[in-house]
Amino acid sequence: MIFNSIDFAVFLPVVFLIYWSLAKRSLRVQNLFIAFASYFFYSCWDWRFVFLILFSTVIDYLVGRKLMLATNAVTRKFLLGASISVNIGTLGFFKYYDFFLSNFVNAFHFFGQEIQISSIEIILPVGISFYTFQTLSYTIDVYRRKINPIQEFIPFAAFVSFFPQLVAGPIERAQNLLPQFQNKREFSYEMSVNGLRQILWGLFKKIVIADNCAVYANEIFNTSESLNGSALILGAVFFAFQIYCDFSGYSDIAIGLSRLFGFNLMKNFSFPYFSRDIAEFWRRWHISLSTWFRDYVYFPLGGSRCGRIKSIRNVFIIFLLSGFWHGPNWTFVLWGALNAIYFLPLMLAGKNRQNLDIVAKGFKFPSIKDTFSIGCTFGLTLLAWIFFRADSIDHAVDYIGGIASFSVFELPDFVGFGKSIPVMFCVLFFVIVEWIGRENEYAIEKLLLKRRRAPRHFFYYFLIFLMLTFGGDKQDFIYFQF
Amino acid sequence: MILFFKKILVFSLPVYAYLILCSFLMPKIIAIWQGPSTATQIKMPFDTLKKEGFEMVVLGNSRTYRGVNPDKLSFNAFNFSHDNDSFNQIFYKLEFIREKSTTPKYLIIGMDLFQFSFIAHKRNYAYAPRFSAGYSQDFGFPELVRSLAGHYLDQADLRKLSACFSDRETPFQRGNGQYINPGTSRKTDSVSRDSRRLDFQVQYLDRLVDVCKSEDITIFFVTMPTRQRELDSYTEDQLDDFNKFVGRYLMREGVFWFNYGTEHPFSLSDFTDITHLNEKAADRFSEMLDADIRQVLEAR
């Protein structure tokens, strides 16, 4: 049941109505209902994996309770280790078993030894990369005594399975979201309207921008060997907007939906393509994942305060892990490594925290220097995205080789070029709106709010019109595969 | 909260009005330049078959829909194919003919490797009301609602109006059921085919063959002429496996297979795209097919 489907259009109002009608009853009943609705939502993907998420939830709930009672350091470490083993082990099995197996076999083959091991075609449970990290953050924070373990199981189950962010994030922290399940929620008109506005923007990003860019990105990447350099660059740009709008669109919908139910989720994207350097990009891209790795891997390893060699090691570890988190493919690992290479010079020069404010804050246009910086940063991320999208490392290398030729000065020669021009205009429109709204939570949060209702509503109707008219071939949300 | 719902309702009224307007106006406007809509294309053969029976009926996906001209067959024939039809649709179409029309003596059934790999649902809004309950049960009520809703949402896609500005020839549907969609193929045309064989479709094919045996209907499986770039979607093993699979059915009496997939006299200029024959090539193909069918029948 994806967000931009008719099934969800039926599911949401039903759940919304029942949820708020239960608000007058006890908080417990309300939490029980949202947990039930979330498990139902998840079961629509594959009912068998409901037991998996339930198992993960029960383990971490029990570990949390035990951690509260345990005073012995060894026992506490053992409990934390158990939680990490179960979560990472489950994730590792479902996501990486076949990858490690095939690489194991290939390694033997490389040395001239043939071994036969049957692979299992394992189905990847939707959302496993997200909810395992979310529950892990709970047990780690309880271990660190940053939060008290929750006593009741139902709010915890609701926290883990909360349907708006269950299958593709944001990866919430227990410190932020769990207390919201423990506190009474009142219906707020302003919060709900804000939520609807963010859902609208998220749907626009997904349906108009991401799904349309996907058509041409796929065409170009699938036929890259016969295309000229300019087509290949355009393919990379299409993919850059596909993945950004797909993923951030999902996050916007998730955050907007949460607002409808009285919850505030963390921001997951903060206009990353307006970043002036790679460090800023990583402060603005998939914030929930990058801060997770920062807080639970990078800082425990010592961060950047443990000598130069270890700092470099730590940077590579988190970027490689981040790449690997996306999937069992060396292209993702290489994407992570490339980003680490981009990041290191800034860190070593002490310049990774120089662009902390919003670009051109208070100004309509960026300065020439900022424009140049934004362009360079975007170019570097484009290069990395090629590895992310390519089928293999060879494919990525050939793709980049195709760009590095004089054919970049020709007109793009892929078949759909003419049809892609309206999509480019849509992307341009999107970039302009994002630029105008870059100082807000999301682009259209305060757009035309100070004006009368008519221009504002006209803009919303325009977005809906674009969705109905320019909706691309329906594509799965990219991050479902992770 | 009541205020919230009131405001949503008021806000969404223009959207619903727009969708309703599009669902009425768009098919009429587009038909002027793009030929009959899908709903109209599907309706016509059902109406025709209720009024008259045919000796030979052509069933299959778009390749037979566009590639077989019943007027070039020496039988009293009708083309009941449609885009994206697979064996479940074909089975229920035969059931419709048996119940509402005259059982034919001969069936030409398109047989493609990829045809077993999907369960088409986009036209359920048109098929479900016309087929028996068994068809709808395969999909379930939610899927039928989705199909209907998707159909109406699709009407709001104003990009279809771009056909009004195109200088391409307008597609049309003949009274014999054949659909003509002009176009020019290119060397670089490509398609990616799925070679999976879903049990669901195999079961429907088995049921179809069984019904034909019990009704004494002769089946001519036909694999339409296929361009090399489409054949490249398959490996040699997949093609061999497919040949063996179809070969099982040939052991039954009254089942024949004309495989023009790999060996045929058609060139690039005979296709409108990667997979469909153009009007003239369809005529030539139909005459060729008719000659081959006659030869087989005379030899029996």
Side-chain angles (χ1 to χ4, degrees), chain B residues 19-43:
Chain B
L19 286 173
I20 292 167
L21 196 66
C22 283
S23 69
F24 280 112
L25 288 180
M26 285 288 282
K28 292 179 170 56
I29 296 171
I30 288 164
I32 299 169
W33 284 279
Q34 263 194 353
S37 66
T38 300
T40 307
Q41 288 176 48
I42 289 175
K43 183 177 182 293

Side-chain angles (χ1 to χ4, degrees), chain A residues 279-293:
Chain A
E280 185 182 6
F281 176 83
W282 280 101
R283 284 194 297 276
R284 295 174 176 277
W285 178 274
H286 201 177
I287 298 167
S288 64
L289 181 71
S290 53
T291 52
W292 197 99
F293 276 120

Side-chain angles (χ1 to χ4, degrees), chain B residues 41-50 78-80 173:
Chain B
Q41 288 176 48
I42 289 175
K43 183 177 182 293
M44 188 278 273
F46 281 90
D47 290 347
T48 304
L49 283 161
K50 276 186 198 170
F78 186 78
N79 193 329
F80 198 12
Q173 188 178 27

Side-chain angles (χ1 to χ4, degrees), chain A residues 174-191:
Chain A
Q175 290 177 66
N176 177 46
L177 187 55
L178 206 44
Q180 296 184 62
F181 280 97
Q182 295 171 293
N183 297 328
K184 194 167 167 51
R185 298 174 291 277
E186 302 278 348
F187 177 79
S188 161
Y189 175 81
E190 287 74 26
M191 197 174 179

Side-chain angles (χ1 to χ4, degrees), chain B residues 52-57 70 73-78:
Chain B
E52 61 180 294
F54 294 89
E55 188 185 12
M56 177 181 276
V57 174
L73 302 173
S74 57
F75 301 85
N76 178 19
F78 186 78

